[in-house]
Amino acid sequence: MTAVSIEKKVNGTPVASPELGEGRDHPDEEQHTPQPTPAAPSRREEKRLDKSTDRADARLDKAQEREEARRDADHKRETKEKERQAKADRKAQQRADKDKARAKRRKERRTAWTSLQTRLTHHMPMWGLPVVLVSLAVGATGQAGAASAAGMGWASAGVPVLTEGMTLTLAGLTGQAIEQRRPYAWLMRATWITAAGAATINALGHYIEGKAGDPQEALYRAAMYGVASMLGLVLWWVVMRSKRAAISGKTADEVARWKRLGRRHPLLMRRARRVADNTGKSMADAYATVWERANGARPGEPSIREIRASRRAAYRRRLAQSWDGRRGLRKQSERAAAVVPVPQADTVGTPESAGSAGVRTPVQAPALPVALLVPGGQGGWVEHPVPVLPMATPKRVRTGSDQSATARFPQGKDAVSKRVRKSVHDDRLNTVRALVESEAARGCDLRKHPSNRAVARAAGCRPGTARELLATVLAERGITR
């Protein structure tokens, strides 16, 4: 049979039956005596308990409501604070944006003003601007008045715009050309021409206006207006000269020297510029190279012309010193045979001191028998003895090889020309060596590079000479083409 548990209810609470062993942890455990159960509460007690429970629940609900209300109030307060803070942040951001925009505009205005000052100071210092502005104002008003007096009517306002505007434009272009190191001479000339035309229009207009009254006053007024309109350009020209010297990096003496060289040797300066452009040399080195090619000597050394002139002068000096007073061309032997020494006359009143053997009497140089009459004081003539000097050593007879002349050495291959030729040859060899060294550094094949044309361009010689120089330099490296 299956055991069935029997439960009993005590005060509404089920209790296990002890007869079936329920309520024990283990069947072998010792059974205890059951405790007595409390009595069931009365109905009044149950109502009191229910009311106390309801009051507790009500208090709990009110506490929860107050807590929710407090949380809502805190949330509203936080939301309001966040909104206020966001509004304050927006205002602060707007104020910061306004300050930033104002600072940016101020910086842009400052930058624009600085840029304007920089552009103006490129052409004229700040303290020179009032002079230029006054000169422009005087010129513009004077030209407008002159055009109006000439009967141009409403078109008279455009005359200063044309003349002064053209002058300002050309002056600005000239300043830019000088700053960028471009040719500017023709722009400078055009600026002066337009400024002179504007000043002429200004002066003639004022002269025509005042000619009806006092002519001298009209002339003086016209001259003053013309000079006043040119003073601004004169100041600008001085500033441009200083700027040109500063940009070129040369002193005033060097700039003046190069200008003199350009005026005296325009062809050599043009060739020097071409050599500098083709080879990349400096202008001084290029001019030295061109000078050496043209004169056969380096700058500072006597040139071919100077050597020939000194030789001619020395030859004429020898002829003048050995002249015997006769006309015509005769041989040196005949001229020497005709020379007769002049006997020296004894001085009257001076006894001969034969015993004074230790004192040697000076021997005067022989002179020609016929004295040369030269102009003297009081319109008279004075006899001047012509001394006879020893014969000069005859010039060396040139052989056929020495008499050969070339375009570069028109006087022949003497010692000076040979030295100059050797110097030029050594300089060209050094130039070719430097060119070959640069090609080797670049990793080029020296059997193909550099070309004969490149060598001729670098050394400034003919292709045949360049081929020989290149072969010599390559042979030093053990390379043959």
Side-chain angles (χ1 to χ4, degrees), residues 323-326 335 338-342 365-372 385-388:
W323 182 57
D324 57 357
R326 291 183 294 177
R335 194 181 309 157
V339 175
V340 178
V342 178
L368 295 178
V370 180
L372 182 65
V386 180
V388 179

Side-chain angles (χ1 to χ4, degrees), residues 315-326:
Y315 174 72
R316 291 168 182 169
R317 189 180 302 109
R318 287 196 301 270
L319 288 181
Q321 291 175 354
S322 62
W323 182 57
D324 57 357
R326 291 183 294 177

